[in-house]
Amino acid sequence: MKLIKKQIPLAIVFITGVLTLVSYYVPHKTSVDYIETMNKWENIVVAFAFLLGLISLFFSHYHKIARKADGWGYSIFVFVGFLAIIIPAYVSGGKQMVEGVLTPLGWAYKYIYTALSGTMFAVLAFYIVSTAYRSFRIKSMQAFVLFVAAFILILGKVPLGQIIWDSVLGWTGQRAPDVIEWIMQVPAVAGKRGIMIGISIGAIVTSLKIIFGIEKQYMGKD
Amino acid sequence: MIKHKVLLTLFLFLFAANGAFAAKTAPAAAVLDGLTAVDMPYDVGNAAILRWPANPSDAKDTVYVVYASSLQTGGWVEAERFDSGARTGKDIELPFWAWSGSVKEHAVKVELNNIFGEGQIGLSSQFKVSVLEKGKKLIAESLPVAVTPVGNWFRLDRLNNLILLIGLIVIFFWAVSHAKRKGLFIRRIAGLDAIDEAIGRATEMGKPIFYVPGIGSMSSISTIASAFILGEVSKKVAQYDSQIKVPHYDPVVMTVCKEIVKQSYLEAGRPDSYREDINQFVSADQFSYAASVDGMISREKPAACFYMGYFMAESLLLAEVGATSGAIQIAGTDVEHQLPFFFTACDYTLIGEELYAAGAYLSKEPMLLSALKVQDFGKLVVMVSVFFGMILVALGAKFGWTDFVQGILHLFRNY
């Protein structure tokens, strides 16, 4: 049992991991073909897993409706939304446009899906404002530094801010766009690079832990 | 008869004069010497490098045109066109240990798959170079040269990368074997210490916990790290007999997380509390997923929200709704441009590498904890390299050691 549940999966992870790692240093066509094959396998697995996901989604919402759980009415929209796309897709043979004319699928995609996605994305703008308001509440030294940097950026980006800057800090000889440029190119990039270096090294070590079987929490304990 | 002879003589004279005039205005093009074609080293076998000596007397408006053909004769296709001052041996994107180029020569890499399509590996191709004055008038042309590109077995240009990796692997095994003998100090990570507090709060309030693994696939390192954290979080949830909900974007991640959560409940001794609907597939569309999870958070008002994994624009959509609902929020991602949104909307945020370390930190397994030391070693190498690299490059720039500076930069470059 341990062989099937532990050793074989670990061997598969090790062999696949090492081969994929080696393929980074081997430019030969064999290596390229191997990566392409792995990608194809991944796509096949994803396709089957998507079916599992769909079944999970339908069962979950069906049970909510059947049990009349809190908010069960929203679950109806899962099925309505599914049918609103799948029926036009079936009728249109999967094509969004035929001879320059929108098919029912094209119509559903353009006037339902794209509109809803756009709405959701637009909501982000309002959330950015409320988040900015929260981050401007100075509760610590770090929050103060964040506030000062953000305030300078805002000041330099709007015409009124530039007028204020020139009248108050004009004597320093520094223009608002220059200060903004410096903030964006020096401290911001330095911080970002520090984070990226940490992330890269962390990713390498995590990969090594998985390849060499040190990290096997995803398979449960012995 | 005489009239015809005169006309013929006149015609021949004009024809000969015209030919002589033409020969005088368009002299035969000179031969461009020294053109060689070699297989592009360290590639899959679909490129060639052409080299020929640069001519210092070239006018500024002189243009070189490289032609390629996959046929034995004819079939020439323009592959590259550049000014006489461009494309020297120094411009080939290879490090000093893998390529020796000079500014005294022209070197052009020709990607054959871009010209003739895929499937050129092992097939012979011909090249010639024309020199044009003012971009039009042919003044010199090389003889055709042929090369058969082949696939290579090692990327010598990535040797620096390989050496660093081998160094890391050696340190990795040293750290792992060292862990068996004695424990190692690991600094506190506030965001991870707060997990107990968040789960305790949810238990006291009798409200659920939302664990959002992001929109990454299972091949994303941050999603894998998130799955490890989910294992530890769900174990604690099972121990406290609280509720957890894990909405998914990717069905593969959902399948893996189902097994992880089930295993955690088993390990906590509460397999009876495990429900199949803890992990739920929501949508494989970014904004549909965000809208659905936002709806769940708004309706169910969870006591705690965890956002661990790979996030894009939905990060703020989720975190802001969670903050509005009054949940304690802990986030972690390796997408650095989404971190500011989590910083402002969440109570605790794990920055990149802390997310990777979280599984080890929470499980407290010595071997996993010791592997964190490798990350510290990697950072030390980077810090020392940056410090000395900065000094050497500054000195090189000051004293004009161009080749030395380029060599240092090559060492730290990814090819």
Side-chain angles (χ1 to χ4, degrees):
Chain A
M1 197 63 185
K2 197 177 175 185
L3 182 78
I4 294 171
K5 282 197 80 176
K6 288 277 171 191
Q7 286 161 353
I8 291 178
L10 280 177
I12 292 171
V13 169
F14 176 75
I15 292 166
T16 315
V18 168
L19 283 177
T20 310
L21 185 63
V22 166
S23 69
Y24 182 72
Y25 300 101
V26 177
H28 199 268
K29 194 170 182 307
T30 315
S31 164
V32 176
D33 290 345
Y34 162 76
I35 294 292
E36 276 180 14
T37 308
M38 294 308 285
N39 286 338
K40 279 179 191 165
W41 284 13
E42 190 187 344
N43 289 341
I44 293 166
V45 171
V46 167
F48 277 101
F50 187 76
L51 199 65
L52 280 177
L54 212 58
I55 293 167
S56 152
L57 179 75
F58 287 161
F59 265 95
S60 161
H61 286 280
Y62 169 74
H63 284 303
K64 265 191 180 176
I65 296 168
R67 285 188 281 111
K68 295 246 182 327
D70 287 346
W72 65 274
Y74 297 108
S75 296
I76 295 173
F77 282 94
V78 172
F79 295 99
V80 172
F82 181 76
L83 293 174
I85 293 290
I86 209 81
I87 292 173
Y90 185 75
V91 171
S92 315
K95 287 178 183 153
Q96 289 192 34
M97 203 169 265
V98 174
E99 294 171 0
V101 180
L102 279 179
T103 61
L105 174 65
W107 189 92
Y109 193 84
K110 189 174 179 183
Y111 295 110
I112 300 175
Y113 173 78
T114 310
L116 287 172
S117 285
T119 307
M120 204 57 207
F121 194 51
V123 169
L124 197 60
F126 297 99
Y127 284 157
I128 286 174
V129 174
S130 65
T131 307
Y133 167 73
R134 193 179 300 115
S135 63
F136 276 4
R137 288 181 300 182
I138 303 165
K139 286 193 257 179
S140 62
M141 190 58 199
Q142 289 96 325
F144 176 71
V145 174
L146 182 71
F147 171 79
V148 171
F151 187 73
I152 292 170
L153 284 180
I154 291 170
L155 209 62
K157 288 284 178 189
V158 294
L160 181 66
Q162 288 190 19
I163 294 167
I164 296 169
W165 177 282
D166 290 341
S167 57
V168 177
L169 295 166
W171 57 270
T172 58
Q174 296 295 328
R175 290 170 57 248
D178 299 335
V179 177
I180 289 171
E181 183 71 12
W182 183 83
I183 290 173
M184 296 303 284
Q185 294 300 324
V186 183
V189 170
K192 203 183 264 189
R193 280 186 185 164
I195 292 171
M196 283 168 70
I197 288 168
I199 287 171
S200 307
I201 294 166
I204 293 168
V205 174
T206 307
S207 307
L208 290 177
K209 280 194 286 188
I210 295 166
I211 290 171
F212 294 115
I214 307 292
E215 178 82 86
K216 46 184 184 243
Q217 283 169 301
Y218 58 95
M219 289 197 293
K221 292 257 167 66
D222 292 327
Chain B
M1 191 67 186
I2 293 169
K3 188 181 170 186
H4 284 158
K5 278 184 180 175
V6 170
L7 279 173
L8 183 66
T9 309
L10 189 65
F11 174 75
L12 287 173
F13 174 76
L14 284 172
F15 183 77
N18 184 41
F21 181 75
K24 199 175 179 182
T25 52
V31 175
L32 179 71
D33 287 326
L35 174 69
T36 56
V38 290
D39 171 38
M40 174 72 197
Y42 331 122
D43 77 335
V44 69
N46 54 16
I49 287 192
L50 305 182
R51 303 173 86 167
W52 66 96
N55 185 358
S57 60
D58 275 342
K60 278 185 180 176
D61 54 5
T62 302
V63 171
Y64 284 89
V65 184
V66 176
Y67 293 96
S69 168
S70 58
L71 307 174
Q72 287 291 325
T73 52
W76 294 108
V77 177
E78 185 178 319
E80 299 282 345
R81 178 182 282 260
F82 57 91
D83 293 334
S84 58
R87 303 293 191 90
T88 68
K90 288 278 180 192
D91 296 328
I92 294 290
E93 295 274 314
L94 286 171
F96 67 86
W97 61 87
W99 170 258
S100 174
S102 152
V103 288
K104 292 177 182 170
E105 64 172 345
H106 286 292
V108 180
K109 179 185 173 187
V110 182
E111 302 265 7
L112 296 170
N113 55 332
N114 290 346
I115 304 166
F116 305 122
E118 296 294 333
Q120 290 300 309
I121 301 168
L123 298 178
S124 178
S125 296
Q126 296 208 78
F127 302 92
K128 67 175 182 179
V129 177
S130 297
V131 189
L132 305 180
E133 197 178 69
K134 294 179 181 174
K136 288 177 184 171
K137 190 178 161 192
L138 180 71
I139 53 172
E141 190 167 68
S142 72
L143 293 172
V145 288
V147 65
T148 306
V150 289
N152 303 105
W153 285 99
F154 181 59
R155 290 282 304 254
L156 186 65
D157 50 336
R158 288 181 176 169
L159 186 67
N160 55 345
N161 188 304
L162 182 64
I163 290 170
L164 184 65
L165 178 71
I166 290 169
L168 273 175
I169 291 174
V170 169
I171 300 291
F172 175 79
F173 280 109
W174 175 83
V176 169
S177 58
H178 188 73
K180 289 175 185 168
R181 291 196 291 275
K182 61 176 186 177
L184 292 163
F185 168 75
I186 303 292
R187 73 173 168 87
R188 284 188 66 238
I189 300 175
L192 296 174
D193 289 340
I195 288 177
D196 275 335
E197 181 194 335
I199 299 171
R201 183 173 185 259
T203 313
E204 283 172 13
M205 294 171 76
K207 287 185 173 180
I209 292 161
F210 268 75
Y211 189 97
V212 184
I215 61 164
S217 68
M218 210 57 227
S219 54
S220 157
I221 296 275
S222 50
T223 309
I224 295 170
S226 175
F228 298 152
I229 301 168
L230 174 64
E232 298 300 327
V233 169
S234 52
K235 200 187 295 173
K236 287 192 171 118
V237 167
Q239 283 164 355
Y240 292 166
D241 200 18
S242 193
Q243 296 175 58
I244 185 168
K245 292 195 173 183
V246 193
H248 287 282
Y249 168 87
D250 187 312
V252 177
V253 178
M254 182 194 73
T255 315
V256 174
C257 288
K258 265 190 175 180
E259 290 304 311
I260 287 172
V261 174
K262 195 186 278 183
Q263 184 68 33
S264 298
Y265 272 73
L266 266 172
E267 283 171 18
R270 303 297 304 269
D272 52 311
S273 300
Y274 175 75
R275 299 183 324 279
E276 278 296 320
D277 64 350
I278 287 175
N279 287 275
Q280 185 189 337
F281 177 69
V282 172
S283 170
D285 178 75
Q286 184 187 14
F287 290 115
S288 308
Y289 176 73
S292 181
V293 177
D294 277 353
M296 288 182 205
I297 293 172
S298 303
R299 286 191 296 276
E300 299 188 29
K301 299 267 183 292
C305 291
F306 294 90
Y307 308 104
M308 303 280 182
Y310 184 86
F311 290 89
M312 292 300 286
E314 73 289 343
S315 63
L316 188 61
L317 290 173
L318 298 168
E320 190 59 22
V321 170
T324 314
S325 73
I328 181 168
Q329 302 205 102
I330 303 171
T333 186
D334 59 357
V335 185
E336 91 280 349
H337 54 272
Q338 298 301 326
L339 282 170
F341 296 129
F342 280 141
F343 282 136
T344 48
C346 296
D347 299 288
Y348 300 95
T349 305
L350 304 177
I351 305 169
E353 54 174 325
E354 291 179 339
L355 174 71
Y356 302 146
Y361 187 92
L362 293 170
S363 70
K364 304 215 167 24
E365 281 191 30
M367 277 172 70
L368 292 178
L369 285 172
S370 62
L372 297 181
K373 286 288 165 193
V374 187
Q375 283 178 233
D376 290 345
F377 168 77
K379 281 187 275 186
L380 182 70
V381 168
V382 171
M383 280 192 280
V384 171
S385 306
V386 167
F387 180 74
F388 286 105
M390 204 167 61
I391 292 171
L392 290 173
V393 169
L395 285 175
K398 170 84 178 165
F399 297 110
W401 305 331
T402 316
D403 286 344
F404 174 74
V405 171
Q406 286 302 318
I408 295 283
L409 294 176
H410 283 183
L411 282 174
F412 296 102
R413 197 168 158 190
N414 183 33
Y415 290 94

